[in-house]
């Protein structure tokens, strides 16, 4: 019988003990004596967030299909349990076996968001694993990082033994086999890391050295171990249909953020928005076959008991077989009470027709993401939306019965002027006016337009990676301009406005484009008590600023300057397929306000076509 790492007395004292007991439906149990590798898969946030992450579900399923591997899960303990574990000297444990993480062969951490970095140190600390890789010996697990943030892994370089660059379904098998081979030979930790460094997509930060110029920029970044590659090639699943997908995902005991069946219909995006990192990282666009998705829907609903199914994609409207899939889901599952969730849709006639069938329009709201208020700024960011398209979509929605619309914009974009900022409330007002053009007897109550602005953050491997950011006060001043303009609008009673936290934006921007010197800041911030920084109630900007001060590192160096075309970026050693020349070409076009056609209209030669052996959208190019 499984022995819990926490006794009943402790479980009764903490919030949501179901986060830590495991034993959920579809969780995988194996005999540890009959496997060669034990892999702890970690999401460095609370259970409810981590259980909603599709990437971990895919890897959990893929690893556990191997008879020689047992993959288990671990998440960040919330503050209450964190304190108990430290006081009682309880080591961090995996959910399935309740065994200490320190006893595993691998600790794999998915890194989705920069503000989870101190949680990574919490995981290591509670596990009894030395925080810095240089201090580890053969008695502790190999610590491996993956996910979108490893497109620039350098701020975390000191804490990881290796990083997996790209999509996990490709070379993990080769990596695990190399580990077994090294164990069979009696090899050391370093021996395995050298074997790993020779595998495509694997980056071992200890095998590289960075030198810096007097101005703080990178002078050189070179491998210092003969097994390490000068360039790390991002791993890409070429055939998305013929790859593993979890048809019996773990069903949590408590409500989680995404408490539903998730169907990933495609990866990548054809749109080419210049601010969007995911749109560049996951090129080229690849679709899953619709017949396979139909089978997945049947099996996953049966195996989980979920009552909702969601289509996952960066841009679901661009999935070529969307109409067939949605029609099938409605006809097969609507009568069974299965709710169908359709995120990432463009608001057009087909989408509204579909959403009218699967949603209660009197309760639901529609989401538009124009990202910029003026047409000039939408051309700068290559959004591909005109005001006419936005108002037409809103009008069709209102005529279809909707009266609630959420609008998402960004402030602080490159070349933004005060006039561009003021166009955000003006566009919101135009949408409200469009509602009141409908005859009163045909309206569905009062109109509610909720506008939210986030602050722009330049990300690696985007055309805007050369752009500068602003200070906290400058971001707040931009939000104040927008707020004032909202108060001037005719339909202001129908308009609501919210803006995001600027302090978090400044920090996120520094770590997004930072180098390995920022490892010292992260370590110092953790020592000062920074934890769960993505949670508003626990974020403490003063401690972060103190960490920068204590380490003598200027946050402004990473944010408040334009990048030169010849500057070596901390992530330049990674090849994601999209070339730096293409990104710079797009940066220049952005500064001129020139739009670039999407991939379906014409190929722009970004470089990702090498994964396809030709243009990415072959049927139309």
């Amino acid at each position: 019988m499984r022995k819990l790492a926490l006794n009943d007395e402790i479980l009764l004292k903490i919030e949501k003990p179901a986060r830590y007991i495991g034993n959920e439906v579809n969780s995988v149990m194996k005999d540890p004596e009959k496997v060669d590798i034990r892999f702890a898969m970690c999401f460095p946030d609370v259970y409810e967030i981590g259980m909603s992450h599709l990437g971990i579900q895919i890897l959990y399923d893929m690893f556990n299909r191997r008879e020689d591997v047992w993959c288990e899960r671990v998440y960040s303990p919330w503050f209450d349990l964190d304190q108990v574990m430290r006081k009682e000297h309880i080591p961090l444990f995996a959910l399935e076996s309740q065994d200490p993480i320190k006893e595993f062969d691998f600790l794999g951490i998915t890194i989705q968001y920069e503000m989870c970095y101190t949680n990574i140190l919490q995981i290591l600390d509670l596990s009894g694993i030395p925080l810095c890789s240089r201090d580890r010996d053969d008695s502790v697990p190999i610590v491996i990082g993956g996910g979108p943030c490893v497109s620039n892994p350098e701020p975390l370089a000191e804490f990881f033994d290796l990083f997996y660059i790209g999509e996990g379904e490709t070379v993990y098998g080769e990596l695990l086999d190399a580990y077994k081979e090294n164990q069979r030979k009696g090899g050391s930790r370093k021996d395995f890391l050298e074997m790993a460094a020779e595998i495509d997509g694997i980056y071992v930060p200890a095998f590289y050295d960075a030198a810096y110029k007097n101005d703080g920029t990178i002078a050189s970044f070179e491998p210092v171990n003969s097994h390490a590659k000068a360039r790390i090639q991002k791993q890409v699943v070429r055939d998305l249909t013929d790859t593993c997908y979890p048809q019996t995902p773990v069903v949590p005991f408590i409500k989680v953020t995404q408490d539903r069946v998730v169907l990933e219909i495609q990866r990548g995006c054809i749109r080419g928005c210049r601010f969007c990192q995911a749109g560049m990282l996951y090129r080229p666009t690849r679709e899953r076959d619709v017949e396979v998705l139909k089978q997945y829907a049947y099996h996953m609903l049966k195996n989980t008991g979920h009552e909702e199914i969601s289509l996952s994609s960066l841009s679901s409207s661009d999935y070529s077989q969307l109409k067939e899939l949605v029609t099938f889901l409605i006809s097969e599952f609507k009568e069974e009470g299965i709710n169908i969730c359709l995120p990432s849709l463009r608001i057009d006639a087909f989408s509204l027709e579909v959403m009218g069938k699967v949603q209660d329009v009197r309760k639901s709201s529609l989401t538009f993401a124009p990202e910029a208020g003026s047409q000039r700024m939408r051309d700068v960011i290559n959004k591909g939306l005109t005001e006419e398209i936005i108002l037409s979509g809103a009008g069709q929605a209102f005529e279809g019965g909707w009266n609630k619309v959420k609008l998402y914009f960004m402030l602080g974009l490159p070349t933004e002027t005060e006039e561009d900022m003021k166009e955000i409330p003006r566009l919101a007002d135009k949408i409200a006016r469009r509602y009141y053009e409908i005859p009163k007897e045909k309206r569905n109550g009062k109109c509610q337009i909720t506008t939210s602005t986030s602050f722009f953050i330049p990300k690696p491997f985007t055309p805007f990676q050369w752009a500068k950011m602003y200070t906290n006060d400058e971001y707040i001043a931009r939000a104040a301009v927008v707020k004032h303009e909202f108060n001037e609008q005719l339909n202001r009673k129908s308009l609501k406005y919210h803006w995001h936290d600027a302090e978090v934006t400044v920090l996120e921007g520094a770590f997004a484009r930072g180098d390995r010197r920022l490892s010292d800041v992260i370590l110092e911030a953790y020592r000062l008590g920074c934890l769960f920084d993505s949670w508003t109630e626990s974020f403490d900007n003063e401690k972060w600023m103190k960490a920068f001060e204590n380490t003598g590192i200027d946050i402004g160096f990473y944010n408040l300057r334009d990048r030169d075309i010849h500057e070596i970026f901390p992530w330049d050693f990674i090849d994601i397929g999209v070339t730096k020349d293409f990104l710079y070409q797009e940066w220049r076009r952005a500064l001129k306000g020139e739009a670039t056609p999407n991939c379906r209209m014409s190929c722009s030669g970004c470089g990702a076509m090498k994964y396809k052996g030709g243009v990415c959208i072959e049927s139309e190019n």
Side-chain angles (χ1 to χ4, degrees):
M1 187 173 178
R2 207 174 54 124
K3 181 180 179 182
L4 286 177
L6 306 177
N7 60 41
D8 291 343
E9 183 180 350
I10 293 174
L11 289 171
L12 289 171
K13 290 180 179 179
I14 60 177
E15 180 185 356
K16 299 182 181 179
R19 288 169 168 167
Y20 312 108
I21 60 176
N23 211 33
E24 309 100 318
V25 173
N26 296 334
S27 60
V28 177
M29 299 300 296
K30 295 187 179 183
D31 183 345
E33 300 299 321
K34 295 181 179 179
V35 297
D36 299 316
I37 296 175
R38 298 190 67 181
F39 198 114
M41 185 67 71
C42 172
F43 192 101
D45 208 320
V46 293
Y47 176 90
E48 297 94 306
I49 304 295
M51 277 294 291
S52 302
H53 184 245
L54 178 60
I56 281 188
Q57 292 182 33
I58 291 173
L59 293 179
Y60 181 83
D61 178 74
M62 183 178 78
F63 287 174
N64 280 320
R65 292 186 187 188
R66 291 181 54 142
E67 293 184 359
D68 58 349
V69 176
W70 186 12
C71 181
E72 304 181 50
R73 294 161 296 132
V74 60
Y75 305 100
S76 291
W78 189 244
F79 290 101
D80 52 359
L81 182 58
D82 178 286
Q83 293 175 6
V84 171
M85 295 176 74
R86 294 177 192 275
K87 182 180 178 181
E88 303 293 334
H89 304 288
I90 301 171
L92 188 62
F93 52 90
L95 293 188
E96 281 78 0
S97 66
Q98 302 279 300
D99 288 340
I101 299 301
K102 191 175 181 180
E103 296 178 2
F104 283 63
D105 299 288
F106 285 92
L107 171 59
I109 303 176
T110 184
I111 314 167
Q112 298 291 315
Y113 181 40
E114 288 83 358
M115 301 314 297
C116 287
Y117 285 0
T118 53
N119 279 46
I120 293 171
L121 299 188
Q122 176 211 32
I123 294 291
L124 297 172
D125 196 8
L126 291 177
S127 298
I129 300 171
L131 300 185
C132 294
S133 61
R134 62 176 175 270
D135 298 325
R136 296 173 194 149
D137 57 25
D138 292 348
S139 68
V140 297
I142 299 292
V143 182
I144 180 169
C149 284
V150 305
S151 58
N152 177 24
E154 288 305 280
L156 295 169
E158 296 294 329
F159 312 127
F160 282 83
D161 297 308
L162 54 88
F163 292 97
Y164 184 113
I165 310 297
E167 297 172 351
E169 298 97 327
T170 56
V171 299
Y172 253 124
E174 188 176 348
L175 182 69
L176 297 177
D177 289 342
Y179 182 81
K180 286 177 60 176
E181 177 65 14
N182 188 61
Q183 293 292 97
R184 186 185 66 79
K185 292 180 177 179
S188 67
R189 188 183 196 88
K190 184 180 179 182
D191 291 333
F192 168 68
L193 293 178
E194 289 183 338
M195 292 174 70
E198 295 185 349
I199 299 173
D200 288 341
I202 303 299
Y203 166 52
V204 182
F207 293 168
Y208 296 77
D209 185 57
Y212 301 92
K213 300 178 183 178
N214 291 334
D215 64 1
T217 60
I218 296 175
S220 63
F221 186 89
E222 303 290 342
V224 292
N225 185 294
S226 61
H227 297 271
K229 299 179 175 68
R231 295 274 286 173
I232 306 296
Q233 182 70 54
K234 176 193 76 172
Q235 294 303 291
V236 173
V237 176
R238 301 193 181 212
D239 185 348
L240 202 60
T241 297
D242 188 26
T243 187
C244 63
Y245 197 77
Q247 297 180 57
T248 54
V250 180
V251 181
F253 285 134
I254 59 176
K255 186 173 179 58
V256 299
T257 307
Q258 302 290 333
D259 203 2
R260 57 181 69 98
V261 162
V262 178
L263 278 183
E264 184 190 33
I265 60 176
Q266 67 179 12
R267 283 186 197 164
C269 181
I270 66 171
R271 295 291 153 183
C273 296
R274 292 173 177 138
F275 60 85
C276 181
Q277 185 184 52
M280 298 296 168
L281 289 182
Y282 295 105
R283 291 191 176 198
T285 302
R286 291 145 290 151
E287 296 188 348
R288 272 199 170 91
D289 180 74
V290 68
E291 296 302 324
V292 171
L293 290 172
K294 291 176 183 178
Q295 295 174 27
Y296 287 171
Y298 268 123
H299 295 311
M300 295 175 76
L301 288 169
K302 178 182 177 181
N303 293 332
T304 62
H306 283 309
E307 298 178 345
E308 182 168 292
I309 188 165
S310 176
L311 306 187
S312 173
S313 168
L314 292 175
S315 179
S316 297
S317 294
D318 294 320
Y319 178 61
S320 65
Q321 297 168 300
L322 182 65
K323 187 170 186 177
E324 179 181 350
L325 178 59
V326 170
T327 301
F328 168 82
L329 294 175
I330 292 173
S331 64
E332 293 292 324
F333 302 117
K334 191 66 166 64
E335 294 304 315
E336 298 177 23
I338 303 298
N339 186 44
I340 301 168
C341 182
L342 302 167
S344 306
L345 285 178
R346 291 198 306 279
I347 307 302
D348 55 23
F350 167 69
S351 298
L352 292 169
E353 176 189 356
V354 170
M355 286 187 284
K357 294 179 180 179
V358 300
Q359 293 182 359
D360 182 346
V361 298
R362 291 185 174 273
K363 296 180 180 179
S364 62
S365 62
L366 291 178
T367 299
F368 292 82
E371 309 294 0
S374 69
Q375 190 59 51
R376 188 193 75 82
M377 280 306 305
R378 287 194 292 273
D379 289 341
V380 167
I381 65 178
N382 206 43
K383 182 62 183 176
L385 281 178
T386 64
E387 185 174 290
E388 180 182 3
I389 292 173
I390 295 169
L391 294 178
S392 174
Q396 292 178 63
F398 295 146
E399 290 166 1
W402 277 273
N403 66 339
K404 301 173 186 175
V405 173
K406 295 179 181 179
L407 300 173
Y408 291 98
F409 296 89
M410 283 185 287
L411 289 172
L413 287 160
T415 79
E416 180 183 68
T417 66
E418 185 172 319
E419 190 63 22
D420 294 319
M421 302 174 211
K422 291 180 177 179
E423 284 297 320
I424 292 175
R426 292 169 186 168
L427 179 58
D429 185 65
K430 289 176 183 177
I431 292 173
R433 291 188 195 186
R434 179 66 182 83
Y435 180 79
Y436 291 111
E437 291 174 3
I438 299 173
K440 191 171 184 179
E441 64 274 11
K442 294 183 179 181
R443 297 176 200 161
N444 183 17
K446 292 184 178 180
C447 174
Q448 180 180 312
I449 311 296
T450 303
T451 301
S452 298
T453 57
S454 60
F455 297 111
F456 163 70
I457 299 171
K459 295 281 187 167
F461 296 112
T462 69
F464 288 166
Q465 63 184 356
W466 284 273
K468 71 174 184 179
M469 292 183 65
Y470 299 95
T471 65
N472 177 61
D473 290 342
E474 288 172 319
Y475 281 126
I476 296 301
R478 280 169 158 73
V481 169
V482 175
K483 178 66 175 176
H484 181 269
E485 190 65 21
F486 264 108
N487 292 333
E488 299 297 313
Q489 298 309 305
L490 178 67
N491 296 288
R492 60 181 176 273
K493 289 185 178 180
S494 298
L495 307 176
K496 293 184 178 180
Y497 174 53
H498 309 285
W499 64 90
H500 291 196
D501 193 325
E503 292 176 338
V504 170
T505 297
V506 172
L507 271 175
E508 184 181 340
F511 291 121
R513 294 189 295 175
D515 51 49
R516 58 176 57 187
R517 291 173 293 189
L518 288 182
S519 293
D520 291 340
V521 178
I522 297 168
L523 186 58
E524 179 64 12
Y526 177 68
R527 286 171 174 160
L528 291 172
C530 292
L531 194 62
F532 286 102
D533 299 298
S534 61
W535 293 68
T536 303
E537 62 264 40
S538 54
F539 174 70
D540 191 333
N541 192 59
E542 289 186 9
K543 288 180 180 177
W544 274 104
M545 293 303 102
K546 184 66 174 176
F548 275 94
E549 180 184 340
N550 290 354
T551 53
I553 293 177
D554 177 19
I555 192 173
F557 171 78
Y558 297 98
N559 287 347
L560 305 178
R561 64 185 181 88
D562 290 309
R563 268 59 172 176
D564 183 82
I565 182 177
H566 301 297
E567 180 173 339
I568 298 174
F569 293 147
W571 55 90
D572 274 351
F573 68 96
I574 298 174
D575 180 1
I576 69 159
V578 177
T579 66
K580 194 173 184 179
D581 286 344
F582 170 78
L583 295 175
Y584 188 73
Q585 171 189 310
E586 283 292 285
W587 170 235
R588 302 306 302 174
R589 289 177 67 84
L591 296 178
K592 297 175 185 177
E594 297 176 357
T596 299
N598 68 60
C599 300
R600 189 156 278 140
M601 295 172 66
S602 66
C603 179
S604 299
C606 71
M609 70 280 288
K610 72 182 181 181
Y611 293 112
K612 288 272 191 173
V615 291
C616 299
I617 313 296
E618 295 180 18
S619 60
E620 301 191 31
N621 282 281

